[in-house]
Amino acid sequence: MTPSDSGKDITLRIAQNPEADELLGRSPLAALVGMLLDQQVPMEWAFTGPYTLAERMGADDLDAGRIAAYDPDAFTELFTAKPALHRYPGSMAQRVQQLCQYLVAEYDGDASAVWRTATTGDELLGRLKALPGFGEQKARIFLALLGKQLGVRPTGWREAAGPYGEAGSHRSVADITGPESLVEVRAYKQEAKAAAKAAKAAKTTKTAKTSKTAKKPGTARKK
């Protein structure tokens, strides 16, 4: 990744692994791939993935063009080799390759071009949502990461990132700056998951009661 607006090199501490975090800080593509892998696995596992992948490809960085042109079966093997890069290595290998193919087709393989020329937060959000594997939430989280830690701050970036852009929050990887904040973000995620589960259970119970009340005895016609 390029230096921040302050001119200082960017230091990330998301993977909790010095080598993996160093790569995330200097490589736009590694950061994108880490965000893509951040699904149904611990955050540290996901963001260590780009470093492990680069090692297995015999390189010190990821190259979108090389990944896009890689034999699909051979690329999947890079993900499935033990230790696997993801809980679902086969499907995630396919997604990473699709992401790189899109970057090659739309941005000449330059991942940083996704945000470098974006003039507003909404424009950047739209570009991120267009990336294969990036839905609404993932796009907003990455936008927040770009703004909070990578110095990419087009006009309205916080608003476009939604709650993930709030200063002082501990909602996502965008807020992880070390072990302590990792614990706080993980706690927030667990609380949010528990609240969502409770809300779903309450809704199911309410629906069941409503259905039972609607079926009053003696309402059926006798033949």
Side-chain angles (χ1 to χ4, degrees):
M1 194 78 62
T2 56
S4 65
D5 292 339
S6 65
K8 297 180 180 179
D9 290 338
I10 295 167
T11 300
L12 297 181
R13 298 184 67 187
I14 299 174
Q16 308 295 301
N17 174 301
E19 291 83 3
D21 280 327
E22 189 275 334
L23 177 61
L24 294 172
R26 66 177 167 83
S27 170
L29 181 55
L32 273 179
V33 170
M35 189 71 247
L36 180 62
L37 296 176
D38 186 24
Q39 184 173 324
Q40 297 182 303
V41 295
M43 291 172 281
E44 311 96 300
W45 185 1
F47 282 89
T48 299
Y51 175 73
T52 305
L53 179 59
E55 273 197 319
R56 292 180 181 180
M57 296 182 75
D60 63 358
D61 195 359
L62 299 179
D63 182 275
R66 184 182 176 194
I67 292 175
Y70 219 88
D71 175 77
D73 292 335
F75 192 66
T76 297
E77 289 179 5
L78 296 176
F79 272 70
T80 56
K82 295 182 179 180
L85 264 65
H86 196 274
R87 181 174 297 169
Y88 304 105
S91 60
M92 295 312 292
Q94 183 179 29
R95 290 186 184 183
V96 169
Q97 196 161 35
Q98 289 172 340
L99 170 64
C100 290
Q101 289 167 345
Y102 180 87
L103 292 174
V104 169
E106 300 295 327
Y107 297 98
D108 293 324
D110 181 5
S112 69
V114 175
W115 52 84
R116 192 175 59 247
T117 58
T119 57
T120 67
D122 286 338
E123 181 183 4
L124 177 51
L125 179 62
R127 292 185 182 188
L128 292 172
K129 287 167 62 177
L131 297 175
F134 277 67
E136 180 84 25
Q137 184 182 49
K138 193 179 290 289
R140 290 184 186 277
I141 291 174
F142 192 76
L143 198 162
L145 176 62
L146 287 171
K148 290 182 175 182
Q149 298 199 49
L150 300 176
V152 179
R153 295 163 185 158
T155 303
W157 71 269
R158 285 192 186 276
E159 293 77 6
Y164 301 107
E166 294 176 2
S169 64
H170 291 91
R171 297 173 180 269
S172 70
V173 296
D175 304 307
I176 297 175
T177 56
E180 292 183 2
S181 53
L182 172 62
V183 171
E184 292 181 278
V185 170
R186 181 158 286 140
Y188 173 83
K189 285 178 172 286
Q190 291 173 342
E191 290 175 6
K193 186 176 181 180
K197 186 176 181 181
K200 183 177 181 180
K203 184 178 180 180
T204 300
T205 300
K206 183 178 180 180
T207 300
K209 288 183 177 180
T210 301
S211 178
K212 186 175 181 180
T213 302
K215 296 179 180 179
K216 295 181 180 180
T219 56
R221 291 185 177 183
K222 295 183 179 180
K223 294 184 179 179

